[in-house]
Amino acid sequence: MVPRNFRLFHRDWRFLFFKTIMEVGKMDFRKEIAAKISKLTELEEEKISSLIEIPPQGNMGDYAFPCFTLAKTMRKAPNMIAAELAKQFEQDAILEKAEAAGGYLNFFVNKTEFIKATIQEVLEKDTDFGSTKEGEGKKVLVEFSSPNIAKPFHIGHLVNTVTGNAIEKIFKHLGYDTVKLNHIGDYGTQFGKLIVAYKLWGNDEVIEKDPINELLKIYVKFHDEAEKNPALEDEARKYFKMLEQGDEEATALWKKFKDLSLMEFKKLYDDFNITFDSYAGESFYSDKMDEVVEILEKNNLLVESNGAKIVDLEQFNLPPCMILKSDGATIYATRDLAAAIYRKRTYDFYKCIYVVGNTQALHFKQFFNVLNLAGFGWYKDCMHIGTSLVKFADRKLASRKGDVIFAKEVVDEAVSKTLEIIESKERKLENPTEIAKKIGMGAIIYIILKNNRDRDIAFSWEDMLSFEGESGPYVQYTYVRGKSILRKAGDFNFEAADYSHLNSEDEFNMVKLLDAFKDAVKEAAERYEPFVISRNVTELAKAYNKFYNTHPILNAEENIKAARLNLTKAVCSVIKTGLGLLGIDTPENM
RNA sequence: GUUUCCGUAGCUCAGUAGGAUAGAGCGUUCGCCUCCUAAGCGAAAGGCCGUGGGUUCGAUUCCCGCCGGGAACACCA
């Protein structure tokens, strides 16, 4: 078996080698290296491929194979193995050199081939660059945003809205069939309170103008008044009960509040270009909760505790999960259970991702485990992706507003700051407000998605409104510069370019980053971390800016110019795709 | 108290399936617009990777303790 395969492999290899020259755009350098090493060792190509890394310094090589893992099986020192492999290495048209450095075997690719192959692939695939078919036929639900009706949308909501939106886009890019769910908080006793408050103090004219703030105002007033007059609480409970029983007046009011709030939320979603496939909120599941209780009872999971019904989770070292309150009413865990069961039936999901604040980690652990105990094996496909908590680095500004920063306030500040900058420039833009919006939103989204989700976000107006260095506007600006050049250049094509002219370190590094984008998308999905893409795209922007400052493009000699223009086009394309996956729009001018 | 996350440059953060000289941005100092958009580029300064042990040829990375900070811990969602 071995020799036969070996011979076949040899034939394939030559064929492949020949193909490289013909179809260099399809070349996968990592795979080529893996094939070579595999030939010399016992390791499988795939295993090798996963081990291959990029050396920390460019001058060390383009790819590196660490020999440490081979040391045990070969019973040799890693540096010996590396040296031996280096000796046996045969160069070819795409891999020029292999060099042993300590325990690493470093490879040097044929730069021109690599550059040509990468640029061609980017230009061919354009916005599909980095996409795969790994998700084909698999449905992924992403629940995010989920604000509460009649409550203001604050910066914390913005964080998981933006994060969830990006995660959905990333999965979609990898071929998954995604569904965006907004689990609106539109149910619960607070609506009884709101109805009472409205009947006492509501003023339609004022409410129409600023629905959420006005509703919040009367809601707060209710709490103040209820302290003096407890009878109001009874009244509220009465109205919520009426609502549950389908009372016409109560339902009409509830619907009115909900519609007004949704209108407000949608304005914000529009600002960020976010849409949902479903707004089925908590109320949607109100008639699906009896079944949850039945299922749990049938499985003997419900236990009475202080008058309430709970599911004991001690075996998981978790506090119990409450299902029914002592007054028999349901609670959010019940609704989440109903929603999960409904979603599994309706969508038969491959994964159901809950993008919700880290503060709710315990709740999700509990409710997933209840699903588990109830015999739903698919509980393993449900995952909570916790988003960062926003804290205040710059207390002074925050405390003035009562330690809460509203999403709208952030949006307004970002846009007006952008307009200010635009106006201060000599260059006049045709549609400054539209551009200011793209840039302002870009700045906000970037701040949210630039770091890992486990870490709290230290909010400061200074950082939020800083459009220099690692920022959304910086990356957008890079794109705009590139596009400006491309517009001025007019027609040119890929074939006309001789890539051997892209021989500077800067140009090569940029192409490496283009290539790395593919891995970045995959890693971002694996880790549910959009920031992996922010990093890649920012690095790319930095590399391009450096190149831009040191190399003429339009003013370069004709034969060099075509190559640099194609490179510029590829960089713009990847920036646009990358920012797009984060939910950031790219203006053509700024 | 229990559970969990975090501690890397003045600030905000990357990096860590153990491995090559620990990296950015902001801020600071100094340079660069007769040239494709200066929201840009270059240079310098700035680090016992919280701390004490352990495992290892090798630890910022893994394990344990400690210190410091955040969060959650049933009738709200």
Side-chain angles (χ1 to χ4, degrees):
Chain A
M1 170 180 160
V2 172
R4 210 167 119 190
N5 268 350
F6 189 73
R7 204 169 293 155
L8 267 172
F9 180 72
H10 237 58
R11 296 248 304 257
D12 283 355
W13 169 249
R14 257 196 231 142
F15 177 60
L16 213 63
F17 182 89
F18 180 67
K19 260 178 92 175
T20 1
I21 295 154
M22 312 300 294
E23 280 185 69
V24 75
K26 309 284 190 295
M27 213 62 252
D28 185 338
F29 288 77
R30 202 178 279 249
K31 226 175 149 184
E32 293 307 316
I33 293 169
K36 288 219 168 200
I37 298 173
S38 172
K39 212 167 68 171
L40 301 173
T41 65
E42 304 279 296
L43 286 176
E44 285 170 21
E45 274 188 52
E46 249 178 61
K47 168 83 178 159
I48 298 167
S49 212
S50 70
L51 285 171
I52 289 174
E53 38 187 89
I54 312 285
Q57 256 83 44
N59 58 13
M60 293 172 167
D62 303 314
Y63 292 98
F65 176 69
C67 301
F68 305 99
T69 43
L70 278 176
K72 270 183 200 144
T73 52
M74 294 178 73
R75 302 197 2 229
K76 246 182 245 174
N79 53 344
M80 298 279 290
I81 299 171
E84 268 172 46
L85 290 175
K87 216 183 281 171
Q88 290 174 66
F89 172 83
E90 289 168 27
Q91 74 161 105
D92 60 41
I94 55 165
L95 293 175
E96 285 190 331
K97 191 166 73 162
E99 212 175 67
Y104 291 91
L105 182 62
N106 292 335
F107 291 88
F108 294 79
V109 300
N110 177 314
K111 290 184 165 62
T112 302
E113 291 302 322
F114 179 78
I115 289 170
K116 185 173 179 189
T118 306
I119 291 179
Q120 182 169 9
E121 191 188 348
V122 173
L123 295 183
E124 269 174 15
K125 295 190 176 161
D126 196 28
T127 50
D128 280 337
F129 183 67
S131 73
T132 67
K133 290 184 173 170
E134 72 163 68
E136 222 167 32
K138 291 176 183 159
K139 187 153 279 183
V140 168
L141 311 190
V142 186
E143 176 192 304
F144 63 104
S145 201
S146 311
N148 287 323
I149 295 299
K151 296 247 178 83
F153 204 101
H154 59 74
I155 178 104
H157 292 117
L158 201 54
V159 170
N160 65 59
T161 302
V162 162
T163 307
N165 189 49
I167 288 176
E168 184 272 334
K169 284 178 189 296
I170 291 163
F171 273 86
K172 197 170 193 172
H173 204 64
L174 294 178
Y176 291 90
D177 180 9
T178 57
V179 180
K180 295 172 275 183
L181 306 174
N182 196 336
H183 194 69
I184 296 275
D186 59 358
Y187 205 67
T189 33
Q190 76 260 31
F191 288 98
K193 295 178 184 177
L194 201 56
I195 290 171
V196 173
Y198 174 80
K199 288 174 76 86
L200 287 172
W201 313 294
N203 177 335
D204 277 338
E205 228 175 274
V206 187
I207 290 176
E208 300 279 341
K209 252 184 231 157
D210 187 6
I212 292 182
N213 282 326
E214 195 52 29
L215 290 176
L216 181 70
K217 213 192 255 173
I218 60 171
Y219 184 74
V220 169
K221 185 166 180 178
F222 176 92
H223 276 274
D224 294 344
E225 295 289 324
E227 269 182 34
K228 286 176 255 166
N229 179 10
L232 284 174
E233 298 274 4
D234 295 333
E235 191 73 3
R237 269 191 286 272
K238 192 184 92 191
Y239 269 100
F240 180 57
K241 194 139 220 170
M242 284 164 69
L243 180 61
E244 280 196 293
Q245 289 164 347
D247 174 81
E248 232 173 83
E249 188 201 11
T251 308
L253 284 174
W254 168 80
K255 190 156 187 322
K256 178 193 177 97
F257 301 150
K258 185 173 169 176
D259 290 346
L260 284 171
S261 296
L262 275 180
M263 261 169 57
E264 284 273 296
F265 295 149
K266 277 184 178 159
K267 269 189 231 162
L268 198 69
Y269 294 144
D270 282 349
D271 285 341
F272 286 92
N273 243 315
I274 291 174
T275 58
F276 292 92
D277 299 305
S278 164
Y279 281 89
E282 299 188 328
S283 67
F284 178 80
Y285 300 102
S286 59
D287 62 351
K288 297 171 181 62
M289 288 189 283
D290 289 345
E291 195 198 347
V292 171
V293 177
E294 263 170 47
I295 291 172
L296 297 179
E297 251 162 9
K298 210 168 64 194
N299 286 282
N300 289 321
L301 294 172
L302 283 187
V303 181
E304 178 124 357
S305 167
N306 296 328
K309 296 272 176 91
I310 61 159
V311 175
D312 186 87
L313 297 172
E314 217 183 328
Q315 54 178 308
F316 303 110
N317 196 21
L318 292 171
C321 181
M322 182 177 286
I323 304 296
L324 292 173
K325 300 193 277 186
S326 48
D327 65 358
T330 57
I331 192 166
Y332 66 118
T334 331
R335 293 193 269 275
D336 266 333
L337 287 165
I341 293 168
Y342 173 84
R343 288 173 185 175
K344 184 63 189 176
R345 278 182 195 150
T346 310
Y347 301 103
D348 191 27
F349 56 75
Y350 166 75
K351 262 180 196 169
C352 182
I353 303 171
Y354 294 83
V355 181
V356 182
N358 267 326
T359 54
Q360 299 205 35
L362 177 59
H363 161 68
F364 281 103
K365 264 190 211 161
Q366 290 177 309
F367 127 65
F368 293 158
N369 273 305
V370 173
L371 286 172
N372 176 13
L373 289 176
F376 296 114
W378 47 263
Y379 81 97
K380 284 188 192 133
D381 306 326
C382 298
M383 51 206 70
H384 170 226
I385 300 306
T387 54
S388 325
L389 188 74
V390 181
K391 296 196 303 187
F392 302 98
D394 124 277
R395 280 251 148 214
K396 263 188 201 161
L397 263 166
S399 55
R400 220 195 292 161
K401 307 266 181 183
D403 259 13
V404 175
I405 291 182
F406 301 119
K408 193 172 181 312
E409 175 177 9
V410 176
V411 169
D412 292 346
E413 288 283 341
V415 172
S416 68
K417 166 79 185 283
T418 312
L419 271 174
E420 230 173 79
I421 295 174
I422 290 175
E423 274 156 23
S424 72
K425 308 265 174 202
E426 298 239 340
R427 141 192 306 275
K428 291 294 164 234
L429 297 173
E430 272 176 36
N431 39 1
T433 26
E434 194 186 309
I435 289 168
K437 206 166 156 186
K438 285 184 185 181
I439 296 169
M441 300 302 109
I444 296 169
I445 296 172
Y446 190 94
I447 286 269
I448 294 174
L449 298 182
K450 75 182 220 189
N451 292 136
N452 117 41
R453 297 183 334 263
D454 288 330
R455 200 187 272 270
D456 295 344
I457 294 176
F459 181 90
S460 84
W461 282 111
E462 200 188 327
D463 288 347
M464 183 64 83
L465 302 176
S466 158
F467 298 168
E468 283 158 29
E470 290 174 344
S471 71
Y474 172 86
V475 183
Q476 289 168 319
Y477 180 67
T478 312
Y479 173 84
V480 165
R481 285 174 127 183
K483 286 304 285 236
S484 172
I485 287 181
L486 292 174
R487 274 193 302 272
K488 287 180 181 164
D491 287 340
F492 61 92
N493 62 42
F494 179 82
E495 297 305 330
D498 177 352
Y499 292 95
S500 67
H501 289 113
L502 300 185
N503 52 14
S504 73
E505 202 58 30
D506 289 344
E507 286 156 324
F508 185 55
N509 284 338
M510 218 181 312
V511 175
K512 275 189 184 172
L513 285 165
L514 290 174
D515 183 57
F517 178 76
K518 294 183 281 187
D519 286 339
V521 178
K522 279 185 212 150
E523 192 188 337
E526 264 163 38
R527 296 173 58 183
Y528 304 92
E529 280 287 20
F531 89 89
V532 177
I533 293 173
S534 329
R535 294 265 159 194
N536 172 273
V537 164
T538 305
E539 288 305 312
L540 180 61
K542 275 188 210 166
Y544 186 77
N545 280 322
K546 186 178 181 190
F547 165 71
Y548 181 99
N549 264 269
T550 44
H551 299 76
I553 300 167
L554 288 174
N555 303 330
E557 287 169 45
E558 263 330 286
N559 51 355
I560 300 179
K561 185 170 143 183
R564 289 188 179 161
L565 283 172
N566 277 303
L567 176 58
T568 297
K569 200 172 170 188
V571 169
C572 285
S573 172
V574 170
I575 287 179
K576 192 182 175 76
T577 307
L579 289 182
L581 291 179
L582 302 174
I584 299 176
D585 210 342
T586 32
E588 297 293 313
N589 259 305
M590 64 190 276

